[in-house]
């Protein structure tokens, strides 16, 4: 797979407890991105944060793993990101979605592995 040098970075800010039906939202996003052939997806877990409802989520020992914040990050060509946004709009019930321009330095995979 080839990425253009000028691409888009999509970030979905959500929480561990957010779901689509019984499936965690972040897992559904990663699976759908793979199904659509996007370049890749990464899920990052935050140690603390809050969103529009101002409810602080933290990993402090007394409330360990209480709906910690997550960021799903995807980089790909602008047209593919824009198409994926349409699907996201139908599944993200709570959270924030951002899109930024990025410069791709390189995108590689080892020979013999699926791209």
């Amino acid at each position: 797979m080839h990425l253009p040098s000028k691409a888009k970075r999509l970030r979905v800010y959500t929480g561990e407890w957010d779901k689509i039906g019984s499936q965690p939202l972040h897992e559904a996003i990663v699976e759908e991105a793979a199904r659509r052939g996007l370049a890749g997806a990464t899920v990052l877990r935050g140690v603390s944060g809050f969103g529009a409802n101002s409810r602080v989520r933290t990993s402090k020992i007394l409330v360990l793993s209480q709906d910690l914040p997550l960021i799903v990050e995807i980089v790909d060509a602008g047209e593919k990101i824009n198409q994926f946004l349409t699907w996201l709009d139908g599944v993200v019930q709570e959270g924030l979605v951002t899109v930024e321009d990025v410069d791709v330095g390189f995108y590689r995979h080892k020979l013999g592995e699926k791209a």
Side-chain angles (χ1 to χ4, degrees):
M1 172 179 282
H2 172 75
L3 276 179
S5 62
K6 299 292 185 187
K8 298 281 186 183
R9 176 175 47 219
L10 169 72
R11 286 185 175 149
V12 181
Y13 297 81
T14 188
E16 287 181 316
W17 291 353
D18 294 330
K19 298 195 182 301
I20 297 176
S22 62
Q23 182 180 30
L25 176 61
H26 66 279
E27 288 179 8
I29 292 170
V30 169
E31 289 175 8
E32 184 66 15
R35 189 184 73 72
R36 290 174 178 246
L38 277 85
T42 301
V43 179
L44 307 166
R45 176 184 281 163
V47 296
S48 184
F50 71 91
N53 65 9
S54 298
R55 183 172 53 88
V56 175
R57 301 168 182 193
T58 183
S59 63
K60 288 182 181 176
I61 193 70
L62 294 177
V63 287
L64 189 60
S65 297
Q66 294 294 308
D67 195 20
L68 292 175
L70 299 175
I71 299 171
V72 182
E73 189 167 282
I74 300 169
V75 175
D76 210 318
E79 62 198 45
K80 290 179 87 173
I81 293 295
N82 289 336
Q83 291 169 357
F84 196 66
L85 276 172
T86 302
W87 178 81
L88 277 177
D89 189 36
V91 298
V92 175
Q93 302 300 312
E94 184 176 344
L96 172 68
V97 176
T98 64
V99 178
E100 307 165 63
D101 293 327
V102 295
D103 294 324
V104 175
F106 53 83
Y107 177 63
R108 300 178 184 148
H109 64 92
K110 293 180 183 177
L111 294 176
E113 290 185 11
K114 186 177 177 183

